[in-house]
Amino acid sequence: MANVDVRTFDTVHQTQRLYRKLLDAMARPGTVRSAADDCLGLPFGSGGESAAAAIALTLVDGEVAFSFDLGGSSPEKPAEWIRKRTFGRVTAPDKADYVFVPGMPEETEIVQRYGSIRTGSLMSPEDGATVLLLVSGFGPSGESGHGWTLSGPGISGETEFFVSGLSPVWMELRERWNELYPMGVDMILFSPDGELAALPRTTKCTRSA
């Protein structure tokens, strides 16, 4: 975990708590966790950048590369802020270990810019990227909401998962990325209010009727 000098953000306790919640989310796919208290104290306003920055401070360090663009007017500003405090390398999405991106960009942009995310290799599947998607929220509400039936490790039978502000194109790409398991891409979904859930590459997702 990164060691940074943010006065109002408790880099020891908040990142440790958030790290445990991220691990728990990966172990229990589709289970929504609240990390609102662990995203406080960062110099970003609403729109999800505080939640994204807290996750970045927890996961990024000098050994990894990350891509950060949540669709704001100046995407380089939070990326540079994170880089200075974690020593991670800012790079293009297809070369990044962690890719921070909005859940609802233009569909053509998703395919053109993010279609070549790293999936690792058969010898090193752990080199596959983690895609961190900013969504509107979790629950069956809103015109942009969709339901998914999840199954696989960490899930007893099947579970229903609802998310708003996530383009179905992401899930189509996810299926393509993960078709050659153990190669693939893990996903972490997070909302502006600090809720998060994970879809590891081992999770099967089927669109609900």
Side-chain angles (χ1 to χ4, degrees), residues 25 27 65 89 94 164 173 194:
R89 291 172 285 113
D94 61 339
S164 299
L173 281 177

Side-chain angles (χ1 to χ4, degrees), residues 26-110:
M26 292 293 290
R28 302 179 64 187
T31 301
V32 179
R33 293 281 179 261
S34 176
D37 291 344
D38 306 314
C39 302
L40 300 175
L42 293 167
F44 299 103
S46 59
E49 288 184 344
S50 287
I55 295 171
L57 293 180
T58 302
L59 296 177
V60 176
D61 59 29
E63 299 298 317
V64 302
F66 71 100
S67 171
F68 191 103
D69 184 359
L70 298 184
S73 59
S74 55
E76 71 282 352
K77 184 176 181 180
E80 182 65 11
W81 187 91
I82 293 166
R83 183 196 67 78
K84 288 180 179 179
R85 289 159 176 80
T86 64
F87 302 104
R89 291 172 285 113
V90 182
T91 188
D94 61 339
K95 296 179 175 61
D97 299 287
Y98 297 104
V99 180
F100 292 82
V101 64
M104 288 291 287
E106 293 293 331
E107 293 184 358
T108 54
E109 180 185 358
I110 297 176

